[in-house]
Amino acid sequence: RSAQEMKHMENISSLLQGERPRPDPSGEREAAAAAPGEQPWEMIMDKKHFKLWRRPIEGTHLYQYRVFGSYTDVTPRQFFNVQLDTEYRKKWDSLVIKLDVIERDLATGSEVIHWVTHFPYPMYSRDYVYVRRYSVDKENNLMVLVSRAVEHPSVPEDPEYVRVRTYESQMVIRPHKTFDENGFDYLLTYSDNPQTVFPRYCVSWMVSSG
């Protein structure tokens, strides 16, 4: 499915890389198309190397987001490794309070992560416990990283933080050439429930401005 979703983005990719002088509306509609029975994606940000869509999650005030972007001066492997490197994130992400690998499964490559992050004042900080798994698909020339919230006995709830129990993300990275040459596209699909009381229009403003 990851490979199929990246194929839906090929028209957008060629647009971002300057292969067409003008956008192809039919290609953009295809990129944001939803599966049968699912709500369509709504574009909320459209920049040269970054596009952002959203769609409401039924029965909630929340949205699921989809990001499509492109880099030309970084290798796919460098970008992929940065996503996985929890120690490095502590250095560049000033919002991190705690970010630790709780458990690893050497057989599958899965890791359980505990992540505590600052939220805007006056809200409490949020903490996530999630499992992530990654793979390098040489046959389809893709890198995939998926995460979802889990429960873990080693990380009970802390009254100082608000536990985020609903969270999932999927990132797909497609090199323009190879894993070790500059240039790639990435597709990130993401949703969580940070248990805020903001209405949708406030969340939309924060996402589009920040």
Side-chain angles (χ1 to χ4, degrees):
R1 181 174 179 178
S2 298
Q4 292 174 343
E5 289 187 338
M6 284 304 286
K7 287 180 181 179
H8 285 316
M9 295 292 175
E10 285 180 353
N11 285 325
I12 301 298
S13 173
S14 59
L15 170 63
L16 293 180
Q17 295 172 48
E19 295 173 11
R20 290 196 192 95
R22 300 179 62 186
D24 179 351
S26 63
E28 198 159 295
R29 285 195 297 269
E30 181 187 9
E38 294 182 345
Q39 297 207 47
W41 294 94
E42 172 196 3
M43 177 173 279
I44 58 174
M45 189 175 294
D46 185 1
K47 297 186 176 182
K48 184 176 181 181
H49 295 291
F50 181 90
K51 295 180 182 291
L52 173 64
W53 294 267
R54 71 178 180 189
R55 64 182 177 188
I57 299 174
E58 291 187 11
T60 75
H61 67 287
L62 303 169
Y63 288 98
Q64 183 181 32
Y65 295 94
R66 169 165 285 184
V67 177
F68 182 73
S70 182
Y71 283 99
T72 58
D73 57 350
V74 179
T75 72
R77 197 180 303 278
Q78 288 171 332
F79 182 76
F80 189 61
N81 288 340
V82 166
Q83 307 304 315
L84 298 175
D85 192 337
T86 54
E87 291 303 312
Y88 182 48
R89 180 158 189 167
K90 295 176 186 179
K91 297 178 181 178
W92 64 260
D93 188 348
S94 61
L95 297 179
V96 168
I97 299 172
K98 182 185 294 186
L99 184 58
D100 298 315
V101 178
I102 304 302
E103 185 178 347
R104 286 188 174 92
D105 184 341
L106 298 179
T108 64
S110 298
E111 297 176 324
V112 177
I113 310 292
H114 183 213
W115 173 33
V116 185
T117 182
H118 287 289
F119 258 50
Y121 179 83
M123 292 186 291
Y124 284 98
S125 298
R126 263 53 177 175
D127 80 327
Y128 296 71
V129 180
Y130 62 95
V131 61
R132 71 178 183 186
R133 189 171 180 178
Y134 58 89
S135 67
V136 177
D137 185 345
K138 295 182 179 179
E139 181 179 348
N140 289 299
N141 201 34
L142 295 174
M143 294 168 155
V144 180
L145 174 63
V146 294
S147 303
R148 63 176 175 83
V150 294
E151 299 285 339
H152 197 282
S154 297
V155 194
E157 285 194 61
D158 188 320
E160 292 188 19
Y161 314 127
V162 175
R163 174 63 53 88
V164 177
R165 298 189 175 278
T166 303
Y167 160 67
E168 61 181 28
S169 71
Q170 174 183 282
M171 175 176 282
V172 186
I173 301 167
R174 183 187 61 190
H176 293 165
K177 295 179 180 178
T178 69
F179 295 134
D180 295 301
E181 295 179 80
N182 285 353
F184 62 91
D185 305 323
Y186 70 92
L187 173 66
L188 171 65
T189 305
Y190 171 93
S191 65
D192 75 347
N193 181 3
Q195 301 184 64
T196 61
V197 294
F198 294 119
R200 271 185 176 168
Y201 73 88
C202 289
V203 175
S204 300
W205 175 82
M206 288 188 287
V207 169
S208 62
S209 63

